[in-house]
Amino acid sequence: MANEADNLDRAADLTRARAEAQIAAVRLQAAPEQVQNPDGTWPVTECVVCDADLGKRAELGKIRCVRCQERRERGGAQWPR
Ligand SMILES: [Zn+2]
């Protein structure tokens, strides 16, 4: 039954690879999009799409307001940025 064991190994490998890809995708989504300046300020404090004030979102390393971020995640890529 060596063949069946090989198949199980392969299935486990596929499952693992898929889980790792999903984790990487989530990590990328949560990752900061800008880096804080040494003086504590943020290089981007306004939404790069609509120029709205980012407020606390800048401190989370975000560069888009909630509205533009949601639009982007929905896949509405009307803007190249
Ligand atoms: Zn915006």
Side-chain angles (χ1 to χ4, degrees):
M1 281 298 148
N3 234 351
E4 195 164 320
D6 284 352
N7 283 339
L8 286 174
D9 276 352
R10 224 167 289 149
D13 284 347
L14 277 175
T15 303
R16 203 175 308 125
R18 203 161 55 181
E20 277 166 12
Q22 282 167 347
I23 291 166
V26 168
R27 224 173 251 161
L28 202 65
Q29 226 172 27
E33 295 165 291
Q34 62 170 327
V35 178
Q36 193 171 21
N37 292 322
D39 65 2
T41 61
W42 292 88
V44 180
T45 56
E46 290 174 350
C47 175
V48 295
V49 179
C50 72
D51 292 337
D53 187 9
L54 287 174
K56 292 273 172 209
R57 281 181 69 72
E59 291 168 27
L60 300 172
K62 302 297 178 187
I63 60 172
R64 288 173 195 82
C65 70
V66 174
R67 222 169 35 128
C68 294
Q69 184 64 37
E70 280 176 358
R71 192 177 290 145
R72 184 182 154 91
E73 281 167 13
R74 259 187 273 124
Q78 287 100 336
W79 290 286
R81 286 192 296 180

Coordinates of all heavy atoms in Angstrom, one line a residue:
M1 N 0.8 -1.2 0.0 CA 0.0 0.0 0.0 C 0.9 1.3 0.0 O 0.5 2.3 0.5 CB -0.9 0.0 1.2 CG -2.1 -0.9 1.0 SD -3.2 -0.4 -0.3 CE -3.8 -2.0 -0.9
A2 N 2.0 1.1 -0.6 CA 2.9 2.3 -0.6 C 2.4 3.4 -1.4 O 2.5 4.6 -1.1 CB 4.3 1.8 -1.2
N3 N 1.6 3.0 -2.5 CA 1.0 4.0 -3.4 C 0.0 4.9 -2.6 O 0.0 6.1 -2.8 CB 0.3 3.3 -4.5 CG 0.8 3.8 -5.9 OD1 1.6 4.8 -5.9 ND2 0.5 3.1 -6.9
E4 N -0.8 4.3 -1.8 CA -1.8 5.0 -1.1 C -1.2 6.0 -0.1 O -1.6 7.1 0.0 CB -2.8 4.1 -0.4 CG -4.0 4.7 0.0 CD -5.1 3.7 0.4 OE1 -5.2 2.7 -0.3 OE2 -5.8 3.9 1.4
A5 N -0.1 5.5 0.5 CA 0.6 6.4 1.5 C 1.2 7.6 0.7 O 1.1 8.7 1.2 CB 1.7 5.6 2.2
D6 N 1.7 7.4 -0.5 CA 2.2 8.5 -1.3 C 1.1 9.5 -1.6 O 1.4 10.7 -1.5 CB 2.8 7.9 -2.6 CG 4.2 7.3 -2.4 OD1 4.7 7.4 -1.2 OD2 4.7 6.7 -3.3
N7 N 0.0 9.0 -1.9 CA -1.1 9.9 -2.2 C -1.5 10.7 -1.0 O -1.8 11.9 -1.1 CB -2.3 9.1 -2.7 CG -2.1 8.7 -4.2 OD1 -1.3 9.3 -4.9 ND2 -2.9 7.7 -4.6
L8 N -1.6 10.1 0.1 CA -1.9 10.8 1.4 C -0.9 11.9 1.7 O -1.2 13.0 2.1 CB -2.0 9.8 2.5 CG -3.3 8.9 2.5 CD1 -3.2 7.9 3.7 CD2 -4.5 9.8 2.7
D9 N 0.4 11.5 1.5 CA 1.5 12.5 1.6 C 1.3 13.7 0.7 O 1.4 14.8 1.1 CB 2.8 11.9 1.3 CG 3.4 11.1 2.5 OD1 2.8 11.2 3.6 OD2 4.4 10.4 2.4
R10 N 0.9 13.4 -0.5 CA 0.8 14.4 -1.5 C -0.4 15.3 -1.1 O -0.4 16.6 -1.2 CB 0.6 13.8 -2.9 CG 1.4 14.5 -3.9 CD 1.4 13.7 -5.2 NE 2.2 12.5 -5.1 CZ 2.0 11.4 -5.8 NH1 1.0 11.3 -6.6 NH2 2.8 10.4 -5.6
A11 N -1.5 14.7 -0.7 CA -2.7 15.5 -0.3 C -2.4 16.4 0.9 O -2.8 17.5 1.0 CB -3.8 14.5 0.1
A12 N -1.6 15.8 1.9 CA -1.2 16.6 3.0 C -0.3 17.8 2.6 O -0.5 18.9 3.1 CB -0.5 15.8 4.0
D13 N 0.6 17.6 1.7 CA 1.4 18.6 1.2 C 0.6 19.7 0.5 O 0.8 20.9 0.7 CB 2.4 18.1 0.1 CG 3.6 17.3 0.8 OD1 3.7 17.5 2.0 OD2 4.3 16.6 0.1
L14 N -0.4 19.3 -0.3 CA -1.3 20.3 -1.0 C -2.0 21.1 0.0 O -2.1 22.4 -0.1 CB -2.2 19.6 -1.9 CG -1.7 19.2 -3.3 CD1 -2.7 18.4 -4.0 CD2 -1.3 20.5 -4.1
T15 N -2.6 20.5 1.0 CA -3.4 21.1 2.1 C -2.5 22.2 2.8 O -2.9 23.3 3.1 CB -3.9 20.1 3.1 OG1 -4.7 19.2 2.4 CG2 -4.8 20.8 4.1
R16 N -1.3 21.7 3.1 CA -0.4 22.6 3.8 C 0.0 23.8 3.0 O 0.0 25.0 3.4 CB 0.9 21.8 4.2 CG 1.7 22.5 5.4 CD 2.8 21.6 5.8 NE 2.5 20.2 6.0 CZ 3.1 19.2 5.4 NH1 4.0 19.3 4.6 NH2 2.7 17.9 5.7
A17 N 0.3 23.6 1.7 CA 0.7 24.7 0.8 C -0.5 25.7 0.7 O -0.2 26.9 0.7 CB 1.0 24.1 -0.6
R18 N -1.7 25.2 0.6 CA -2.8 26.1 0.5 C -3.0 26.9 1.7 O -3.3 28.1 1.7 CB -4.1 25.3 0.1 CG -5.1 26.2 -0.6 CD -6.1 25.3 -1.3 NE -6.8 24.4 -0.4 CZ -7.7 23.5 -0.8 NH1 -8.1 23.5 -2.0 NH2 -8.2 22.7 0.1
A19 N -2.9 26.3 2.9 CA -3.1 27.0 4.1 C -2.0 28.1 4.3 O -2.3 29.2 4.7 CB -3.0 26.0 5.3
E20 N -0.8 27.7 3.9 CA 0.3 28.7 4.0 C 0.0 29.9 3.0 O 0.3 31.1 3.4 CB 1.6 28.1 3.6 CG 2.2 27.4 4.9 CD 3.4 26.4 4.5 OE1 3.9 26.5 3.4 OE2 3.7 25.6 5.4
A21 N -0.5 29.6 1.9 CA -0.8 30.7 0.9 C -1.9 31.6 1.5 O -1.8 32.9 1.3 CB -1.3 30.1 -0.4
Q22 N -2.9 31.0 2.2 CA -4.0 31.8 2.7 C -3.4 32.7 3.9 O -3.8 33.9 4.0 CB -5.1 30.9 3.3 CG -6.0 30.5 2.1 CD -6.9 29.3 2.5 OE1 -6.7 28.7 3.6 NE2 -7.9 29.0 1.7
I23 N -2.6 32.1 4.7 CA -2.0 32.9 5.8 C -1.2 34.1 5.3 O -1.3 35.2 5.7 CB -1.1 32.0 6.7 CG1 -2.0 31.0 7.5 CG2 -0.3 32.8 7.7 CD1 -1.2 29.8 8.1
A24 N -0.4 33.8 4.2 CA 0.4 34.9 3.6 C -0.5 36.0 3.1 O -0.2 37.2 3.2 CB 1.3 34.3 2.5
A25 N -1.6 35.6 2.5 CA -2.5 36.6 1.9 C -3.1 37.5 3.0 O -3.2 38.7 2.9 CB -3.7 35.9 1.1
V26 N -3.5 36.9 4.1 CA -4.1 37.6 5.3 C -3.0 38.5 5.9 O -3.3 39.7 6.2 CB -4.6 36.7 6.3 CG1 -4.9 37.4 7.6 CG2 -5.9 36.0 5.8
R27 N -1.8 38.0 6.0 CA -0.7 38.8 6.6 C -0.4 40.0 5.7 O -0.2 41.1 6.2 CB 0.5 37.9 6.6 CG 1.3 38.1 7.9 CD 2.4 37.1 8.0 NE 2.1 36.0 9.0 CZ 2.7 34.8 9.0 NH1 3.6 34.6 8.1 NH2 2.4 34.0 9.9
L28 N -0.5 39.9 4.4 CA -0.2 41.0 3.5 C -1.3 42.0 3.6 O -1.0 43.2 3.6 CB -0.2 40.4 2.1 CG 0.5 41.2 1.0 CD1 2.0 41.2 1.3 CD2 0.2 40.6 -0.4
Q29 N -2.5 41.6 3.9 CA -3.6 42.6 4.0 C -3.5 43.4 5.3 O -3.9 44.6 5.3 CB -4.9 41.8 4.1 CG -6.0 42.3 3.2 CD -7.2 41.4 3.1 OE1 -7.5 40.7 4.0 NE2 -7.9 41.5 2.0
A30 N -3.0 42.7 6.3 CA -2.9 43.4 7.6 C -1.6 44.2 7.7 O -1.5 45.0 8.6 CB -3.0 42.4 8.8
A31 N -0.7 44.0 6.8 CA 0.6 44.6 7.0 C 0.5 46.1 6.8 O -0.3 46.6 6.0 CB 1.6 44.1 5.9
P32 N 1.3 46.9 7.5 CA 1.3 48.4 7.3 C 1.8 48.7 5.9 O 2.6 48.1 5.3 CB 2.3 48.9 8.3 CG 2.6 47.7 9.3 CD 2.2 46.5 8.5
E33 N 1.2 49.8 5.4 CA 1.5 50.2 4.0 C 2.5 51.4 4.0 O 3.0 51.8 3.0 CB 0.2 50.6 3.3 CG -0.7 49.4 3.1 CD -2.1 49.8 2.7 OE1 -2.8 50.4 3.5 OE2 -2.5 49.5 1.6
Q34 N 2.8 51.9 5.2 CA 3.8 53.0 5.2 C 4.6 52.8 6.6 O 4.1 52.1 7.5 CB 3.1 54.4 5.2 CG 2.2 54.7 6.3 CD 1.8 56.1 6.3 OE1 2.6 57.0 6.0 NE2 0.5 56.4 6.8
V35 N 5.7 53.4 6.6 CA 6.6 53.3 7.8 C 6.7 54.6 8.5 O 6.9 55.6 7.8 CB 8.0 52.7 7.3 CG1 8.9 52.6 8.5 CG2 7.9 51.4 6.6
Q36 N 6.6 54.6 9.8 CA 6.7 55.8 10.6 C 8.0 56.5 10.5 O 9.1 55.8 10.5 CB 6.4 55.5 12.0 CG 6.1 56.7 12.9 CD 5.6 56.3 14.3 OE1 5.8 55.1 14.7 NE2 4.9 57.2 15.0
N37 N 8.0 57.8 10.4 CA 9.3 58.6 10.4 C 10.0 58.5 11.7 O 9.3 58.3 12.7 CB 9.0 60.0 10.0 CG 8.5 60.2 8.6 OD1 9.0 59.5 7.7 ND2 7.6 61.1 8.4
P38 N 11.3 58.6 11.7 CA 12.0 58.6 13.0 C 11.5 59.6 14.0 O 11.6 59.4 15.2 CB 13.5 58.9 12.6 CG 13.6 58.5 11.1 CD 12.2 58.8 10.6
D39 N 11.0 60.7 13.5 CA 10.5 61.7 14.5 C 9.1 61.5 14.9 O 8.5 62.3 15.6 CB 10.6 63.1 13.8 CG 9.7 63.3 12.6 OD1 9.0 62.3 12.3 OD2 9.7 64.4 12.0
G40 N 8.5 60.3 14.6 CA 7.2 60.0 15.1 C 6.0 60.4 14.2 O 4.9 60.0 14.5
T41 N 6.3 61.1 13.2 CA 5.2 61.5 12.2 C 5.1 60.4 11.2 O 5.9 59.5 11.1 CB 5.5 62.9 11.5 OG1 6.7 62.7 10.8 CG2 5.7 64.0 12.6
W42 N 4.0 60.6 10.4 CA 3.8 59.6 9.3 C 3.9 60.3 7.9 O 3.4 61.4 7.8 CB 2.4 59.0 9.4 CG 2.3 58.1 10.6 CD1 2.0 58.5 11.9 CD2 2.6 56.7 10.7 NE1 2.1 57.4 12.8 CE2 2.5 56.3 12.1 CE3 3.0 55.7 9.8 CZ2 2.7 55.0 12.5 CZ3 3.3 54.4 10.2 CH2 3.1 54.1 11.6
P43 N 4.6 59.6 7.0 CA 4.8 60.3 5.7 C 3.5 60.5 5.0 O 3.3 61.5 4.2 CB 5.7 59.3 4.9 CG 5.8 58.0 5.7 CD 5.3 58.4 7.1
V44 N 2.5 59.6 5.1 CA 1.2 59.8 4.5 C 0.1 60.0 5.5 O -0.1 59.1 6.4 CB 0.9 58.5 3.6 CG1 -0.5 58.7 2.9 CG2 2.0 58.3 2.6
T45 N -0.5 61.2 5.5 CA -1.6 61.4 6.5 C -2.9 61.7 5.8 O -3.9 61.9 6.5 CB -1.2 62.6 7.4 OG1 -1.0 63.8 6.5 CG2 0.0 62.4 8.2
E46 N -2.9 61.6 4.5 CA -4.1 61.8 3.8 C -4.3 60.6 2.8 O -3.3 60.1 2.3 CB -4.1 63.1 2.9 CG -4.2 64.3 3.8 CD -4.0 65.6 3.0 OE1 -3.7 65.5 1.8 OE2 -4.2 66.7 3.6
C47 N -5.5 60.2 2.6 CA -5.8 59.1 1.7 C -5.2 59.3 0.3 O -5.3 60.4 -0.2 CB -7.3 58.9 1.6 SG -7.8 57.7 0.4
V48 N -4.4 58.3 -0.2 CA -3.7 58.5 -1.4 C -4.7 58.5 -2.6 O -4.3 58.9 -3.7 CB -2.7 57.4 -1.7 CG1 -1.6 57.4 -0.7 CG2 -3.3 56.0 -1.7
V49 N -5.9 58.1 -2.4 CA -6.9 58.1 -3.4 C -7.8 59.4 -3.5 O -7.9 60.0 -4.5 CB -7.8 56.8 -3.3 CG1 -8.9 56.8 -4.4 CG2 -7.0 55.6 -3.3
C50 N -8.3 59.7 -2.3 CA -9.3 60.8 -2.3 C -8.9 62.0 -1.4 O -9.6 63.0 -1.3 CB -10.7 60.3 -1.8 SG -10.7 60.0 -0.1
D51 N -7.6 62.0 -0.8 CA -7.1 63.1 0.0 C -7.8 63.3 1.3 O -7.6 64.4 1.9 CB -7.1 64.4 -0.9 CG -6.1 64.3 -2.0 OD1 -5.1 63.5 -1.9 OD2 -6.2 65.0 -3.0
A52 N -8.7 62.4 1.7 CA -9.3 62.6 3.0 C -8.3 62.4 4.1 O -7.3 61.7 3.9 CB -10.5 61.5 3.1
D53 N -8.5 63.1 5.2 CA -7.6 63.0 6.4 C -7.7 61.6 6.9 O -8.8 61.1 7.2 CB -8.1 64.0 7.4 CG -7.1 64.0 8.6 OD1 -6.0 63.4 8.5 OD2 -7.4 64.7 9.6
L54 N -6.6 60.9 7.1 CA -6.6 59.5 7.6 C -6.8 59.4 9.1 O -7.2 58.4 9.6 CB -5.2 58.8 7.2 CG -5.0 58.5 5.7 CD1 -3.6 58.0 5.5 CD2 -6.1 57.5 5.2
G55 N -6.5 60.5 9.8 CA -6.7 60.4 11.2 C -5.9 59.2 11.8 O -4.7 59.1 11.6
K56 N -6.6 58.4 12.7 CA -5.9 57.3 13.3 C -5.4 56.2 12.4 O -4.6 55.4 12.7 CB -6.8 56.7 14.4 CG -7.1 57.6 15.5 CD -6.1 57.4 16.6 CE -6.2 58.5 17.7 NZ -4.9 58.8 18.4
R57 N -6.0 56.2 11.2 CA -5.6 55.2 10.3 C -4.1 55.3 9.9 O -3.5 54.3 9.6 CB -6.5 55.2 9.0 CG -7.8 54.5 9.3 CD -8.7 54.5 8.0 NE -8.2 53.6 6.9 CZ -8.3 52.3 7.0 NH1 -8.8 51.7 8.0 NH2 -7.9 51.6 6.0
A58 N -3.6 56.5 9.8 CA -2.2 56.7 9.5 C -1.3 56.0 10.5 O -0.3 55.4 10.2 CB -1.9 58.2 9.4
E59 N -1.8 56.1 11.8 CA -1.0 55.5 12.9 C -1.0 54.0 12.8 O -0.2 53.3 13.4 CB -1.5 55.9 14.2 CG -1.3 57.4 14.5 CD -2.1 57.9 15.7 OE1 -2.4 57.1 16.6 OE2 -2.4 59.1 15.7
L60 N -1.9 53.4 12.0 CA -2.0 52.0 11.8 C -1.2 51.6 10.6 O -1.1 50.5 10.1 CB -3.4 51.5 11.6 CG -4.4 51.7 12.8 CD1 -5.8 51.4 12.4 CD2 -3.9 50.9 14.0
G61 N -0.5 52.6 10.0 CA 0.3 52.4 8.8 C -0.5 52.3 7.5 O -0.1 51.8 6.5
K62 N -1.8 52.8 7.6 CA -2.7 52.7 6.4 C -2.4 54.0 5.5 O -2.1 55.0 6.0 CB -4.1 52.6 6.8 CG -4.4 51.5 7.7 CD -4.2 50.2 6.9 CE -4.5 49.0 7.8 NZ -4.1 47.7 7.2
I63 N -2.7 53.8 4.2 CA -2.5 55.0 3.3 C -3.8 55.3 2.6 O -3.8 56.1 1.7 CB -1.4 54.7 2.3 CG1 -1.7 53.5 1.5 CG2 0.0 54.6 3.1 CD1 -0.7 53.3 0.3
R64 N -4.9 54.6 3.0 CA -6.2 54.8 2.3 C -7.3 55.0 3.4 O -7.2 54.3 4.5 CB -6.6 53.7 1.4 CG -5.8 53.6 0.1 CD -6.1 52.4 -0.6 NE -5.1 52.1 -1.7 CZ -3.9 51.5 -1.4 NH1 -3.7 51.1 -0.2 NH2 -3.1 51.4 -2.3
C65 N -8.3 55.8 3.2 CA -9.4 56.0 4.1 C -10.2 54.7 4.1 O -10.1 53.9 3.2 CB -10.2 57.2 3.8 SG -11.2 57.1 2.3
V66 N -11.1 54.5 5.0 CA -11.9 53.3 5.1 C -12.7 53.1 3.8 O -12.7 52.0 3.3 CB -12.9 53.4 6.3 CG1 -13.9 52.2 6.3 CG2 -12.1 53.5 7.6
R67 N -13.2 54.2 3.3 CA -14.1 54.0 2.1 C -13.3 53.5 0.9 O -13.7 52.6 0.2 CB -14.7 55.4 1.7 CG -16.1 55.3 1.3 CD -16.7 56.7 1.2 NE -15.7 57.7 0.8 CZ -15.8 58.5 -0.2 NH1 -17.0 58.6 -0.8 NH2 -14.9 59.3 -0.6
C68 N -12.1 54.1 0.7 CA -11.3 53.7 -0.4 C -10.7 52.3 -0.2 O -10.5 51.6 -1.2 CB -10.2 54.7 -0.7 SG -10.8 56.3 -1.2
Q69 N -10.3 52.0 1.0 CA -9.8 50.7 1.3 C -10.8 49.6 1.0 O -10.6 48.6 0.4 CB -9.4 50.6 2.8 CG -8.7 49.3 3.2 CD -7.4 49.0 2.5 OE1 -6.6 50.0 2.3 NE2 -7.1 47.8 2.1
E70 N -12.1 49.9 1.4 CA -13.2 48.9 1.2 C -13.4 48.7 -0.3 O -13.6 47.6 -0.8 CB -14.5 49.3 1.8 CG -14.5 49.0 3.3 CD -15.7 49.6 4.0 OE1 -16.5 50.2 3.4 OE2 -15.8 49.3 5.2
R71 N -13.4 49.8 -1.0 CA -13.6 49.8 -2.5 C -12.5 49.0 -3.1 O -12.7 48.1 -4.0 CB -13.6 51.2 -3.0 CG -14.1 51.3 -4.5 CD -14.1 52.7 -5.0 NE -15.2 53.4 -4.3 CZ -15.1 54.7 -4.0 NH1 -14.0 55.4 -4.3 NH2 -16.1 55.4 -3.5
R72 N -11.2 49.2 -2.6 CA -10.1 48.4 -3.2 C -10.2 47.0 -2.9 O -10.0 46.1 -3.8 CB -8.8 49.0 -2.5 CG -7.5 48.4 -3.0 CD -6.4 49.1 -2.2 NE -5.2 48.2 -2.1 CZ -4.2 48.3 -3.0 NH1 -4.3 49.1 -4.0 NH2 -3.2 47.5 -2.9
E73 N -10.6 46.6 -1.7 CA -10.7 45.2 -1.3 C -11.9 44.5 -2.1 O -11.9 43.3 -2.3 CB -10.9 45.0 0.2 CG -9.6 45.2 0.9 CD -9.8 45.4 2.4 OE1 -10.9 45.1 2.9 OE2 -8.8 45.8 3.1
R74 N -12.9 45.3 -2.4 CA -14.0 44.7 -3.2 C -13.5 44.5 -4.7 O -14.3 43.9 -5.5 CB -15.2 45.6 -3.2 CG -16.3 45.1 -2.2 CD -17.5 45.9 -2.3 NE -17.4 47.1 -1.4 CZ -17.6 48.4 -1.9 NH1 -17.9 48.6 -3.1 NH2 -17.6 49.4 -1.0
G75 N -12.3 45.0 -5.0 CA -11.8 44.7 -6.3 C -12.2 45.8 -7.3 O -12.0 45.6 -8.5
G76 N -12.8 46.9 -6.9 CA -13.1 48.0 -7.8 C -11.9 48.8 -8.1 O -11.7 49.8 -7.5
A77 N -11.1 48.4 -9.0 CA -9.9 49.0 -9.3 C -10.0 50.1 -10.3 O -9.4 50.1 -11.4 CB -8.8 48.0 -9.8
Q78 N -10.8 51.1 -10.0 CA -11.0 52.2 -10.9 C -9.8 53.1 -10.9 O -9.6 53.8 -11.9 CB -12.2 53.1 -10.5 CG -13.6 52.4 -10.7 CD -14.1 51.8 -9.5 OE1 -13.4 51.5 -8.5 NE2 -15.4 51.6 -9.4
W79 N -9.1 53.1 -9.8 CA -7.9 54.0 -9.7 C -6.6 53.1 -9.8 O -6.5 52.1 -9.0 CB -7.9 54.8 -8.5 CG -9.0 55.9 -8.5 CD1 -8.9 57.0 -9.3 CD2 -10.2 55.9 -7.8 NE1 -10.1 57.7 -9.1 CE2 -10.9 57.1 -8.2 CE3 -10.8 55.0 -7.0 CZ2 -12.1 57.4 -7.7 CZ3 -12.1 55.3 -6.5 CH2 -12.7 56.5 -6.9
P80 N -5.6 53.5 -10.5 CA -4.4 52.7 -10.6 C -3.7 52.7 -9.3 O -2.9 51.8 -9.0 CB -3.6 53.4 -11.7 CG -4.2 54.7 -11.9 CD -5.6 54.6 -11.5
R81 N -3.8 53.8 -8.5 CA -3.1 53.9 -7.2 C -3.8 53.0 -6.2 O -3.5 52.7 -5.2 CB -3.0 55.3 -6.7 CG -2.0 56.1 -7.6 CD -1.7 57.4 -6.9 NE -2.9 58.3 -6.9 CZ -2.9 59.5 -6.4 NH1 -1.8 60.0 -5.8 NH2 -4.0 60.3 -6.4
Ligands
ZN1 ZN -10.1 57.8 0.4

